[in-house]
Protein backbone atom coordinates (compact mmCIF):
# COMPACT_ATOMS: atom_id res chain seq x y z
CA UNK A 1 0.00 0.00 0.00
CA UNK A 2 1.12 3.51 -0.79
CA UNK A 3 1.79 5.55 2.34
CA UNK A 4 1.89 9.24 3.13
CA UNK A 5 5.67 8.88 3.40
CA UNK A 6 5.77 7.68 -0.22
CA UNK A 7 3.82 10.73 -1.37
CA UNK A 8 5.94 13.07 0.74
CA UNK A 9 9.11 11.60 -0.75
CA UNK A 10 8.03 12.06 -4.38
CA UNK A 11 6.74 15.61 -3.70
CA UNK A 12 9.94 16.62 -1.91
CA UNK A 13 12.01 15.32 -4.82
CA UNK A 14 9.75 17.19 -7.24
CA UNK A 15 10.12 20.39 -5.23
CA UNK A 16 13.88 20.29 -5.73
CA UNK A 17 13.42 20.01 -9.50
CA UNK A 18 10.74 22.71 -9.56
CA UNK A 19 12.97 25.13 -7.68
CA UNK A 20 15.80 24.47 -10.15
CA UNK A 21 13.43 25.39 -12.97
CA UNK A 22 12.15 28.44 -11.12
CA UNK A 23 15.70 29.64 -10.45
CA UNK A 24 16.34 29.50 -14.19
CA UNK A 25 13.22 31.52 -14.96
CA UNK A 26 14.08 34.01 -12.22
CA UNK A 27 17.58 34.46 -13.61
CA UNK A 28 16.19 34.84 -17.13
CA UNK A 29 13.82 37.60 -16.03
CA UNK A 30 16.28 39.35 -13.74
CA UNK A 31 17.14 42.95 -14.55
CA UNK A 32 20.37 42.70 -12.57
CA UNK A 33 23.60 42.71 -14.53
CA UNK A 34 24.98 39.24 -15.21
CA UNK A 35 28.61 38.21 -15.18
CA UNK A 36 30.16 35.32 -17.07
CA UNK A 37 29.25 32.81 -14.38
CA UNK A 38 25.61 33.88 -14.27
CA UNK A 39 25.39 33.67 -18.06
CA UNK A 40 26.86 30.17 -17.91
CA UNK A 41 24.39 29.18 -15.18
CA UNK A 42 21.50 30.57 -17.24
CA UNK A 43 22.60 28.73 -20.39
CA UNK A 44 22.88 25.45 -18.51
CA UNK A 45 19.56 26.05 -16.75
CA UNK A 46 17.73 26.73 -20.02
CA UNK A 47 19.33 23.65 -21.59
CA UNK A 48 18.28 21.43 -18.66
CA UNK A 49 14.89 23.03 -18.01
CA UNK A 50 12.71 20.77 -20.16
CA UNK A 51 14.38 17.42 -19.36
CA UNK A 52 14.29 18.19 -15.63
CA UNK A 53 10.65 19.27 -15.65
CA UNK A 54 9.51 16.50 -18.01
CA UNK A 55 11.09 13.73 -15.94
CA UNK A 56 9.58 15.15 -12.74
CA UNK A 57 6.10 15.41 -14.24
CA UNK A 58 6.41 11.86 -15.58
CA UNK A 59 7.31 10.52 -12.11
CA UNK A 60 4.40 12.41 -10.54
CA UNK A 61 2.01 11.12 -13.23
CA UNK A 62 3.15 7.55 -12.61
CA UNK A 63 2.56 7.94 -8.87
CA UNK A 64 -0.93 9.28 -9.59
CA UNK A 65 -1.67 6.19 -11.68
CA UNK A 66 -0.37 3.88 -8.95
CA UNK A 67 -2.81 5.50 -6.56
CA UNK A 68 -5.61 5.00 -9.09
CA UNK A 69 -4.66 1.33 -9.50
CA UNK A 70 -4.72 0.80 -5.73
CA UNK A 71 -8.15 2.42 -5.63
CA UNK A 72 -9.45 0.04 -8.27
CA UNK A 73 -8.00 -2.92 -6.39
CA UNK A 74 -9.70 -1.87 -3.16
CA UNK A 75 -13.05 -1.36 -4.92
CA UNK A 76 -12.72 -4.85 -6.44
CA UNK A 77 -12.22 -6.27 -2.91
CA UNK A 78 -15.00 -4.23 -1.30
CA UNK A 79 -16.94 -7.28 -0.14
CA UNK A 80 -13.92 -8.51 1.84
CA UNK A 81 -13.30 -5.24 3.66
CA UNK A 82 -15.02 -3.50 6.57
CA UNK A 83 -17.09 -0.48 5.48
CA UNK A 84 -15.15 1.87 7.77
CA UNK A 85 -11.72 0.78 6.48
CA UNK A 86 -12.95 0.86 2.88
CA UNK A 87 -14.23 4.45 3.17
CA UNK A 88 -11.18 5.62 5.09
CA UNK A 89 -8.68 4.13 2.63
CA UNK A 90 -10.46 5.48 -0.45
CA UNK A 91 -10.65 8.95 1.13
CA UNK A 92 -6.95 8.78 1.97
CA UNK A 93 -6.00 7.75 -1.56
CA UNK A 94 -8.14 10.58 -2.96
CA UNK A 95 -6.28 13.01 -0.69
CA UNK A 96 -2.95 11.66 -1.95
CA UNK A 97 -4.11 12.08 -5.55
CA UNK A 98 -5.12 15.67 -4.80
CA UNK A 99 -1.65 16.43 -3.47
CA UNK A 100 -0.05 14.91 -6.58
CA UNK A 101 -2.38 16.94 -8.84
CA UNK A 102 -1.41 20.13 -7.00
CA UNK A 103 2.28 19.35 -7.53
CA UNK A 104 1.71 18.66 -11.22
CA UNK A 105 -0.16 21.97 -11.50
CA UNK A 106 2.87 23.79 -10.11
CA UNK A 107 5.08 22.07 -12.68
CA UNK A 108 2.70 22.94 -15.51
CA UNK A 109 2.74 26.60 -14.47
CA UNK A 110 6.52 26.56 -14.79
CA UNK A 111 6.27 24.80 -18.15
CA UNK A 112 3.70 27.31 -19.40
CA UNK A 113 6.07 30.16 -18.54
CA UNK A 114 8.94 28.53 -20.44
CA UNK A 115 6.85 27.69 -23.52
CA UNK A 116 5.15 31.10 -23.64
CA UNK A 117 8.51 32.72 -24.30
CA UNK A 118 8.56 31.00 -27.70
CA UNK A 119 4.83 31.10 -28.50
CA UNK A 120 3.99 34.66 -27.47
CA UNK A 121 4.61 36.03 -30.99
CA UNK A 122 2.64 33.23 -32.73
CA UNK A 123 -0.55 33.19 -30.69
CA UNK A 124 -2.74 32.39 -33.71
CA UNK A 125 -1.55 28.80 -33.38
CA UNK A 126 -2.89 28.59 -29.83
CA UNK A 127 -6.53 28.85 -30.93
CA UNK A 128 -6.31 25.43 -32.58
CA UNK A 129 -4.53 23.96 -29.56
CA UNK A 130 -7.35 25.24 -27.36
CA UNK A 131 -9.94 23.26 -29.32
CA UNK A 132 -8.32 19.94 -28.41
CA UNK A 133 -8.74 17.99 -25.21
CA UNK A 134 -6.00 18.66 -22.71
CA UNK A 135 -3.98 15.89 -21.08
CA UNK A 136 -3.15 16.80 -17.50
CA UNK A 137 -0.99 13.74 -16.87
CA UNK A 138 1.92 12.70 -19.03
CA UNK A 139 1.15 9.59 -21.13
CA UNK A 140 1.51 6.26 -19.32
CA UNK A 141 3.97 3.46 -19.93
CA UNK A 142 6.27 3.28 -22.92
CA UNK A 143 4.59 6.23 -24.67
CA UNK A 144 5.29 8.68 -21.88
CA UNK A 145 8.74 7.26 -21.25
CA UNK A 146 9.55 7.69 -24.94
CA UNK A 147 8.50 11.35 -24.90
CA UNK A 148 10.61 12.11 -21.83
CA UNK A 149 13.57 10.18 -23.24
CA UNK A 150 13.27 12.12 -26.49
CA UNK A 151 13.42 15.55 -24.86
CA UNK A 152 16.28 14.40 -22.66
CA UNK A 153 18.29 13.42 -25.73
CA UNK A 154 17.11 15.81 -28.44
CA UNK A 155 16.96 19.46 -27.41
CA UNK A 156 17.58 21.13 -30.77
CA UNK A 157 17.46 20.02 -34.41
CA UNK A 158 19.01 22.00 -37.24
CA UNK A 159 19.23 25.11 -35.10
CA UNK A 160 15.58 24.80 -34.05
CA UNK A 161 14.58 24.48 -30.40
CA UNK A 162 12.57 21.36 -29.54
CA UNK A 163 9.69 22.36 -27.24
CA UNK A 164 7.96 19.49 -25.42
CA UNK A 165 4.20 20.02 -25.09
CA UNK A 166 3.83 17.71 -22.08
CA UNK A 167 5.30 20.30 -19.71
CA UNK A 168 2.53 22.79 -20.57
CA UNK A 169 -1.21 23.11 -20.09
CA UNK A 170 -1.94 24.92 -23.36
CA UNK A 171 -0.06 23.02 -26.12
CA UNK A 172 -2.30 20.09 -27.02
CA UNK A 173 -1.78 19.35 -30.72
CA UNK A 174 1.16 17.01 -31.28
CA UNK A 175 3.89 16.23 -28.78
CA UNK A 176 6.65 18.69 -29.70
CA UNK A 177 7.07 22.01 -31.50
CA UNK A 178 10.16 23.00 -33.45
CA UNK A 179 10.83 26.68 -32.87
CA UNK A 180 12.78 28.81 -35.32
CA UNK A 181 14.28 31.02 -32.62
CA UNK A 182 15.78 33.57 -35.05
CA UNK A 183 12.48 34.21 -36.82
CA UNK A 184 10.43 33.62 -33.66
CA UNK A 185 7.97 31.25 -35.31
CA UNK A 186 6.78 27.66 -35.08
CA UNK A 187 8.42 25.81 -37.97
CA UNK A 188 6.88 22.39 -37.37
CA UNK A 189 4.86 20.27 -34.98
CA UNK A 190 5.79 16.66 -34.33
CA UNK A 191 4.02 13.55 -33.06
CA UNK A 192 6.11 10.92 -31.26
CA UNK A 193 5.38 7.19 -31.31
CA UNK A 194 7.42 4.82 -29.16
CA UNK A 195 7.79 1.07 -29.33
CA UNK A 196 10.02 -1.14 -27.23
CA UNK A 197 12.62 -2.86 -29.40
CA UNK A 198 14.21 -4.86 -26.62
CA UNK A 199 14.42 -4.71 -22.86
CA UNK A 200 15.56 -1.17 -22.03
CA UNK A 201 15.78 -0.13 -25.69
CA UNK A 202 13.17 2.17 -27.24
CA UNK A 203 12.46 3.07 -30.85
CA UNK A 204 11.00 6.57 -31.10
CA UNK A 205 9.48 7.70 -34.40
CA UNK A 206 8.81 11.32 -35.23
CA UNK A 207 6.11 12.41 -37.68
CA UNK A 208 6.27 16.15 -38.36
CA UNK A 209 4.00 18.64 -40.12
CA UNK A 210 4.98 22.16 -41.21
CA UNK A 211 3.42 24.95 -43.21
CA UNK A 212 5.80 24.34 -46.13
CA UNK A 213 8.60 22.04 -47.28
CA UNK A 214 11.02 24.89 -46.73
CA UNK A 215 10.03 25.09 -43.07
CA UNK A 216 10.85 21.39 -42.70
CA UNK A 217 14.22 21.56 -44.45
CA UNK A 218 16.08 21.94 -41.16
CA UNK A 219 15.50 18.24 -40.42
CA UNK A 220 17.98 17.37 -43.17
CA UNK A 221 20.63 19.51 -41.50
CA UNK A 222 20.69 17.63 -38.21
CA UNK A 223 19.86 13.96 -37.72
CA UNK A 224 20.38 11.74 -34.69
CA UNK A 225 21.41 8.13 -35.09
CA UNK A 226 22.02 5.58 -32.37
CA UNK A 227 24.65 3.16 -33.64
CA UNK A 228 25.00 1.22 -30.41
CA UNK A 229 22.58 -1.45 -31.54
CA UNK A 230 21.82 -2.66 -35.03
CA UNK A 231 18.23 -3.67 -34.45
CA UNK A 232 15.55 -3.10 -37.06
CA UNK A 233 12.65 -1.06 -35.64
CA UNK A 234 9.38 -3.01 -35.43
CA UNK A 235 6.39 -1.93 -37.48
CA UNK A 236 3.71 0.04 -35.69
CA UNK A 237 0.56 -1.85 -34.64
CA UNK A 238 -2.43 -1.14 -36.88
CA UNK A 239 -4.35 0.61 -34.08
CA UNK A 240 -1.39 2.92 -33.48
CA UNK A 241 -1.10 3.62 -37.22
CA UNK A 242 -4.77 4.66 -37.42
CA UNK A 243 -4.49 6.88 -34.37
CA UNK A 244 -1.30 8.45 -35.71
CA UNK A 245 -2.95 9.28 -39.03
CA UNK A 246 -5.70 11.24 -37.23
CA UNK A 247 -3.21 13.03 -34.98
CA UNK A 248 -0.97 14.07 -37.87
CA UNK A 249 -4.02 15.35 -39.78
CA UNK A 250 -5.06 17.51 -36.81
CA UNK A 251 -1.54 18.97 -36.57
CA UNK A 252 -1.98 20.45 -40.04
CA UNK A 253 -4.96 22.45 -38.80
CA UNK A 254 -2.61 24.57 -36.71
CA UNK A 255 -0.85 25.85 -39.82
CA UNK A 256 -4.03 26.17 -41.88
CA UNK A 257 -5.69 28.42 -39.30
CA UNK A 258 -5.75 31.92 -40.74
CA UNK A 259 -6.25 33.89 -37.54
CA UNK A 260 -9.00 36.31 -36.49
CA UNK A 261 -10.88 38.23 -39.16
CA UNK A 262 -11.28 41.32 -37.01
CA UNK A 263 -9.94 42.73 -33.80
CA UNK A 264 -10.23 45.58 -31.35
CA UNK A 265 -7.76 47.04 -28.91
CA UNK A 266 -8.54 47.23 -25.21
CA UNK A 267 -6.38 49.64 -23.26
CA UNK A 268 -6.58 48.71 -19.64
CA UNK A 269 -4.47 48.41 -16.55
CA UNK A 270 -5.23 45.18 -14.66
CA UNK A 271 -5.12 45.35 -10.88
CA UNK A 272 -1.84 43.39 -10.78
CA UNK A 273 0.03 46.07 -8.85
CA UNK A 274 -2.63 45.92 -6.14
CA UNK A 275 -2.13 42.16 -5.96
CA UNK A 276 1.62 42.70 -5.53
CA UNK A 277 1.07 45.22 -2.75
CA UNK A 278 -1.35 42.84 -1.06
CA UNK A 279 1.18 39.99 -1.15
CA UNK A 280 3.76 42.24 0.50
CA UNK A 281 1.35 42.85 3.37
CA UNK A 282 0.78 39.17 4.17
CA UNK A 283 2.18 37.81 7.42
CA UNK A 284 1.99 34.41 9.12
CA UNK A 285 -0.67 33.75 11.75
CA UNK A 286 -2.98 36.55 10.58
CA UNK A 287 -5.24 37.34 7.63
CA UNK A 288 -5.14 40.52 5.57
CA UNK A 289 -7.95 41.85 3.36
CA UNK A 290 -8.05 44.00 0.25
CA UNK A 291 -10.96 45.07 -1.92
CA UNK A 292 -10.13 45.31 -5.62
CA UNK A 293 -12.59 47.08 -7.87
CA UNK A 294 -16.26 46.95 -6.94
CA UNK A 295 -16.94 43.26 -6.45
CA UNK A 296 -13.68 41.47 -5.60
CA UNK A 297 -12.38 40.90 -2.07
CA UNK A 298 -9.03 39.21 -1.48
CA UNK A 299 -8.04 37.72 1.85
CA UNK A 300 -4.87 35.81 2.57
CA UNK A 301 -2.01 34.86 4.84
CA UNK A 302 1.64 33.89 4.59
CA UNK A 303 2.32 30.24 5.32
CA UNK A 304 4.92 29.06 7.80
CA UNK A 305 8.24 28.00 6.28
CA UNK A 306 7.97 24.31 5.50
CA UNK A 307 8.29 21.83 2.66
CA UNK A 308 6.00 21.88 -0.38
CA UNK A 309 4.56 18.50 0.61
CA UNK A 310 3.58 19.84 4.05
CA UNK A 311 1.86 22.84 2.47
CA UNK A 312 0.00 20.72 -0.07
CA UNK A 313 -1.21 18.27 2.57
CA UNK A 314 -2.37 21.48 4.23
CA UNK A 315 -5.18 21.58 6.70
CA UNK A 316 -6.64 24.75 8.14
CA UNK A 317 -4.20 26.92 10.12
CA UNK A 318 -4.64 26.95 13.90
CA UNK A 319 -7.57 29.07 15.14
CA UNK A 320 -8.37 30.12 11.58
CA UNK A 321 -12.01 30.89 12.41
CA UNK A 322 -10.88 33.48 14.97
CA UNK A 323 -8.42 35.01 12.52
CA UNK A 324 -11.17 35.43 9.92
CA UNK A 325 -13.55 37.17 12.29
CA UNK A 326 -13.34 40.40 10.23
CA UNK A 327 -14.45 38.63 7.05
CA UNK A 328 -18.19 39.30 7.53
CA UNK A 329 -17.53 43.02 7.89
CA UNK A 330 -15.24 43.07 4.83
CA UNK A 331 -17.80 41.23 2.69
CA UNK A 332 -20.31 44.02 3.25
CA UNK A 333 -18.04 46.26 1.20
CA UNK A 334 -18.59 44.26 -2.00
CA UNK A 335 -22.37 43.98 -1.68
CA UNK A 336 -24.50 46.01 -4.08
CA UNK A 337 -27.23 47.47 -1.89
CA UNK A 338 -29.37 48.36 -4.91
CA UNK A 339 -29.28 44.90 -6.49
CA UNK A 340 -31.16 41.65 -5.99
CA UNK A 341 -28.40 39.75 -7.82
CA UNK A 342 -25.91 39.64 -4.96
CA UNK A 343 -24.07 36.33 -4.88
CA UNK A 344 -20.74 35.34 -3.43
CA UNK A 345 -18.31 33.22 -5.46
CA UNK A 346 -15.49 31.71 -3.41
CA UNK A 347 -12.13 30.55 -4.74
CA UNK A 348 -8.37 30.80 -4.49
CA UNK A 349 -5.75 32.37 -6.73
CA UNK A 350 -3.54 29.27 -6.80
CA UNK A 351 -6.02 26.66 -5.64
CA UNK A 352 -4.26 23.31 -4.97
CA UNK A 353 -7.59 21.52 -5.41
CA UNK A 354 -8.03 22.63 -9.05
CA UNK A 355 -5.95 21.35 -11.96
CA UNK A 356 -4.08 24.24 -13.53
CA UNK A 357 -5.10 25.32 -17.02
CA UNK A 358 -3.90 28.52 -18.62
CA UNK A 359 -6.98 30.52 -19.59
CA UNK A 360 -7.30 31.16 -23.35
CA UNK A 361 -5.48 34.31 -24.42
CA UNK A 362 -3.98 34.94 -20.99
CA UNK A 363 -0.27 35.10 -20.18
CA UNK A 364 1.31 32.91 -17.47
CA UNK A 365 1.81 34.56 -14.09
CA UNK A 366 5.55 34.66 -14.79
CA UNK A 367 4.86 37.53 -17.23
CA UNK A 368 2.74 39.56 -14.84
CA UNK A 369 4.27 42.88 -13.67
CA UNK A 370 5.25 41.42 -10.29
CA UNK A 371 8.69 40.94 -8.81
CA UNK A 372 10.15 37.44 -8.94
CA UNK A 373 9.92 36.94 -5.18
CA UNK A 374 6.15 37.58 -5.19
CA UNK A 375 5.57 35.26 -8.15
CA UNK A 376 7.65 32.56 -6.45
CA UNK A 377 5.62 32.97 -3.25
CA UNK A 378 2.39 32.41 -5.17
CA UNK A 379 3.68 29.47 -7.21
CA UNK A 380 5.19 27.61 -4.26
CA UNK A 381 2.27 28.32 -1.91
CA UNK A 382 4.33 30.54 0.38
CA UNK A 383 1.19 32.68 0.50
CA UNK A 384 -2.44 31.62 0.48
CA UNK A 385 -4.68 34.05 -1.37
CA UNK A 386 -8.44 33.48 -1.46
CA UNK A 387 -11.15 35.60 -2.99
CA UNK A 388 -14.82 36.40 -2.58
CA UNK A 389 -16.45 37.83 -5.67
CA UNK A 390 -19.89 39.38 -6.04
CA UNK A 391 -20.90 39.50 -9.75
CA UNK A 392 -23.82 41.83 -9.02
CA UNK A 393 -21.69 44.88 -9.88
CA UNK A 394 -20.71 43.40 -13.26
CA UNK A 395 -24.36 42.51 -13.92
CA UNK A 396 -25.44 46.08 -13.17
CA UNK A 397 -22.77 47.51 -15.52
CA UNK A 398 -23.87 45.17 -18.31
CA UNK A 399 -27.47 46.26 -17.90
CA UNK A 400 -26.46 49.92 -18.04
CA UNK A 401 -24.68 49.09 -21.31
CA UNK A 402 -27.93 47.76 -22.79
CA UNK A 403 -27.57 44.03 -22.09
CA UNK A 404 -30.35 41.90 -20.66
CA UNK A 405 -28.98 39.84 -17.78
CA UNK A 406 -31.13 37.14 -16.19
CA UNK A 407 -30.32 34.56 -13.52
CA UNK A 408 -30.48 30.99 -14.84
CA UNK A 409 -33.24 29.17 -12.90
CA UNK A 410 -31.90 26.33 -10.78
CA UNK A 411 -28.31 26.95 -11.84
CA UNK A 412 -25.40 29.17 -10.93
CA UNK A 413 -24.72 31.96 -13.39
CA UNK A 414 -26.50 34.39 -15.67
CA UNK A 415 -27.93 34.47 -19.16
CA UNK A 416 -26.65 37.54 -21.03
CA UNK A 417 -27.94 38.86 -24.35
CA UNK A 418 -28.46 42.09 -26.28
CA UNK A 419 -31.11 42.72 -28.92
CA UNK A 420 -29.81 44.50 -32.02
CA UNK A 421 -32.75 44.98 -34.39
CA UNK A 422 -33.95 41.51 -35.32
CA UNK A 423 -30.69 39.98 -34.13
CA UNK A 424 -29.85 38.71 -30.64
CA UNK A 425 -26.25 38.84 -29.45
CA UNK A 426 -26.08 36.16 -26.76
CA UNK A 427 -23.28 35.01 -24.44
CA UNK A 428 -22.94 31.34 -23.62
CA UNK A 429 -22.21 32.33 -20.04
CA UNK A 430 -20.35 34.72 -17.79
CA UNK A 431 -17.89 32.22 -16.29
CA UNK A 432 -14.96 33.15 -18.54
CA UNK A 433 -15.51 36.85 -17.92
CA UNK A 434 -15.77 36.46 -14.15
CA UNK A 435 -12.52 34.45 -14.38
CA UNK A 436 -10.89 37.49 -16.00
CA UNK A 437 -11.86 39.51 -12.94
CA UNK A 438 -11.06 36.99 -10.20
CA UNK A 439 -7.92 35.34 -11.60
CA UNK A 440 -6.50 37.78 -14.17
CA UNK A 441 -7.51 40.92 -12.21
CA UNK A 442 -9.25 42.64 -15.11
CA UNK A 443 -11.39 45.62 -14.27
CA UNK A 444 -15.12 44.95 -14.72
CA UNK A 445 -15.47 48.05 -16.89
CA UNK A 446 -12.97 46.60 -19.38
CA UNK A 447 -14.94 43.34 -19.55
CA UNK A 448 -18.07 45.34 -20.35
CA UNK A 449 -16.16 47.38 -22.96
CA UNK A 450 -15.01 44.17 -24.66
CA UNK A 451 -18.54 42.79 -24.87
CA UNK A 452 -19.88 46.11 -26.13
CA UNK A 453 -17.22 46.03 -28.85
CA UNK A 454 -18.41 42.62 -30.01
CA UNK A 455 -22.02 43.84 -29.98
CA UNK A 456 -21.05 46.86 -32.11
CA UNK A 457 -19.48 44.53 -34.66
CA UNK A 458 -22.82 42.72 -34.93
CA UNK A 459 -24.72 46.00 -35.20
CA UNK A 460 -22.41 47.28 -37.97
CA UNK A 461 -22.88 44.08 -39.97
CA UNK A 462 -19.27 42.93 -39.56
CA UNK A 463 -20.59 39.65 -38.18
CA UNK A 464 -23.36 37.86 -40.13
CA UNK A 465 -26.55 36.53 -38.50
CA UNK A 466 -26.52 33.05 -36.94
CA UNK A 467 -22.75 33.23 -36.49
CA UNK A 468 -20.90 31.95 -33.46
CA UNK A 469 -18.42 34.57 -32.29
CA UNK A 470 -15.13 33.48 -30.82
CA UNK A 471 -13.84 36.06 -28.35
CA UNK A 472 -10.05 35.82 -28.58
CA UNK A 473 -8.40 37.90 -25.86
CA UNK A 474 -4.65 38.27 -25.98
CA UNK A 475 -2.22 39.82 -23.58
Amino acid sequence: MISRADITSVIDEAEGSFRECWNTLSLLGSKDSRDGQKDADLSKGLFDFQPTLARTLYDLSEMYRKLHQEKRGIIARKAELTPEWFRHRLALLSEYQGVIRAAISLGKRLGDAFAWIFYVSTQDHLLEHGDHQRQFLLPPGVGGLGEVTFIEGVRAVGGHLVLYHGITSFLRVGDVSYINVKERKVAAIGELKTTEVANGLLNIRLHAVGSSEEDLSFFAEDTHHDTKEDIAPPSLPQEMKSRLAKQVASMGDVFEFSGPEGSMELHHDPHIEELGEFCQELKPSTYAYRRIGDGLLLFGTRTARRSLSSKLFGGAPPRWTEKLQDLVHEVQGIMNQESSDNKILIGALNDPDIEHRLAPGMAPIYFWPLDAATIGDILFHEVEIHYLYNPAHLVAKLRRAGFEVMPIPGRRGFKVEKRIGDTIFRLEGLDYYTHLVTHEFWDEDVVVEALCGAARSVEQGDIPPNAKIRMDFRQ
Side-chain angles (χ1 to χ4, degrees):
M1 291 193 302
I2 299 172
S3 67
R4 176 168 175 148
D6 295 326
I7 304 300
T8 298
S9 176
V10 74
I11 297 293
D12 288 347
E13 188 172 343
E15 181 180 8
S17 298
F18 290 159
R19 290 199 180 274
E20 284 182 29
C21 293
W22 173 241
N23 289 340
T24 297
L25 291 173
S26 298
L27 187 58
L28 180 64
S30 174
K31 296 179 181 178
D32 297 336
S33 59
R34 291 198 292 264
D35 54 25
Q37 183 59 51
K38 287 184 178 179
D39 284 338
D41 291 342
L42 177 58
S43 296
K44 183 179 185 305
L46 290 172
F47 195 67
D48 293 339
F49 187 99
Q50 292 191 84
T52 298
L53 185 54
R55 178 62 65 173
T56 302
L57 291 175
Y58 178 77
D59 291 342
L60 289 169
S61 298
E62 288 297 286
M63 176 57 78
Y64 186 91
R65 291 190 179 92
K66 289 178 182 177
L67 290 165
H68 180 68
Q69 289 171 358
E70 183 176 337
K71 267 181 153 181
R72 293 183 62 181
I74 289 174
I75 292 172
R77 295 170 45 229
K78 181 178 180 180
E80 307 169 16
L81 306 171
T82 64
E84 183 179 355
W85 190 93
F86 176 80
R87 289 193 298 270
H88 174 75
R89 186 60 187 170
L90 284 186
L92 198 59
L93 291 174
S94 293
E95 180 187 5
Y96 293 167
Q97 285 183 309
V99 171
I100 295 293
R101 281 198 304 270
I104 293 175
S105 287
L106 197 166
K108 294 272 187 171
R109 285 178 179 273
L110 295 171
D112 283 351
F114 183 85
W116 191 261
I117 295 170
F118 306 101
Y119 259 89
V120 66
S121 59
T122 56
Q123 291 189 49
D124 285 353
H125 294 321
L126 298 183
L127 294 177
E128 184 64 31
H129 283 278
D131 287 339
H132 286 70
Q133 182 178 359
R134 68 190 181 103
Q135 300 296 329
F136 185 69
L137 304 177
L138 265 62
V142 171
L145 185 60
E147 292 180 9
V148 173
T149 302
F150 181 83
I151 197 60
E152 287 175 336
V154 184
R155 312 193 189 179
V157 175
H160 288 62
L161 173 78
V162 180
L163 182 60
Y164 176 43
H165 296 180
I167 64 172
T168 79
S169 71
F170 65 88
L171 297 178
R172 306 174 192 174
V173 181
D175 298 317
V176 292
S177 294
Y178 289 87
I179 308 295
N180 184 327
V181 180
K182 290 183 179 179
E183 297 184 15
R184 301 184 68 186
K185 73 174 187 177
V186 181
I189 290 179
E191 184 79 24
L192 301 172
K193 290 300 174 187
T194 306
T195 51
E196 192 169 18
V197 177
N199 187 27
L201 185 62
L202 302 177
N203 176 259
I204 304 173
R205 301 172 187 244
L206 169 71
H207 299 261
V209 170
S211 57
S212 67
E213 289 187 13
E214 182 180 354
D215 281 337
L216 294 174
S217 62
F218 67 92
F219 281 107
E221 302 171 14
D222 190 348
T223 57
H224 289 75
H225 299 285
D226 186 352
T227 57
K228 294 179 182 178
E229 300 286 348
D230 187 16
I231 300 176
S235 60
L236 294 176
Q238 185 58 43
E239 181 183 352
M240 186 180 287
K241 287 181 179 178
S242 300
R243 187 167 65 248
L244 175 63
K246 294 179 181 178
Q247 291 168 329
V248 171
S250 71
M251 292 191 304
D253 294 339
V254 174
F255 295 100
E256 292 171 5
F257 182 76
S258 59
E261 296 179 359
S263 63
M264 63 176 287
E265 289 190 6
L266 290 173
H267 298 282
H268 75 111
D269 184 15
H271 299 284
I272 303 295
E273 287 188 8
E274 293 181 61
L275 171 65
E277 294 170 359
F278 179 66
C279 287
Q280 298 296 327
E281 298 171 0
L282 299 181
K283 299 177 181 178
S285 303
T286 185
Y287 277 89
Y289 304 87
R290 178 173 286 234
R291 178 179 171 182
I292 294 182
D294 293 321
L296 182 63
L297 174 67
L298 301 182
F299 63 99
T301 185
R302 185 167 293 276
T303 59
R305 290 189 175 277
R306 48 187 174 149
S307 66
L308 178 63
S309 59
S310 297
K311 285 180 282 194
L312 294 183
F313 271 113
R319 298 170 45 235
W320 68 276
T321 51
E322 296 178 26
K323 296 168 184 175
L324 282 171
Q325 60 184 348
D326 295 331
L327 185 59
V328 174
H329 171 72
E330 296 290 342
V331 168
Q332 295 302 315
I334 61 171
M335 303 303 286
N336 187 338
Q337 304 301 328
E338 301 176 356
S339 174
S340 61
D341 296 310
N342 288 297
K343 297 181 180 181
I344 296 296
L345 307 181
I346 304 174
L349 180 58
N350 187 16
D351 193 340
D353 295 326
I354 296 178
E355 295 177 0
H356 165 67
R357 178 178 68 91
L358 187 66
M362 299 297 106
I365 188 174
Y366 172 73
F367 294 92
W368 290 9
L370 296 170
D371 61 83
T374 298
I375 296 173
D377 285 349
I378 295 172
L379 289 177
F380 287 90
H381 301 275
E382 306 289 357
V383 293
E384 292 181 3
I385 300 176
H386 305 269
Y387 68 80
L388 299 175
Y389 178 60
N390 180 11
H393 297 279
L394 177 59
V395 168
K397 292 172 184 178
L398 285 169
R399 285 180 178 145
R400 286 197 293 270
F403 289 87
E404 296 180 43
V405 186
M406 299 147 284
I408 302 175
R411 289 173 50 193
R412 184 180 117 174
F414 296 88
K415 177 182 176 183
V416 182
E417 61 185 37
K418 187 172 188 178
R419 294 183 178 276
I420 304 170
D422 296 331
T423 302
I424 297 178
F425 171 61
R426 179 179 294 125
L427 296 183
E428 292 185 348
L430 269 182
D431 287 351
Y432 177 67
Y433 304 98
T434 57
H435 172 91
L436 294 179
V437 176
T438 59
H439 287 78
E440 309 295 335
F441 298 94
W442 280 40
D443 191 273
E444 291 173 336
D445 292 328
V446 177
V447 172
V448 174
E449 181 185 348
L451 295 176
C452 287
R456 281 195 298 271
S457 295
V458 174
E459 188 173 11
Q460 294 167 1
D462 297 334
I463 300 173
N466 302 317
K468 185 174 182 178
I469 305 171
R470 182 170 190 162
M471 300 287 285
D472 174 29
F473 293 111
R474 303 184 189 186
Q475 289 184 325

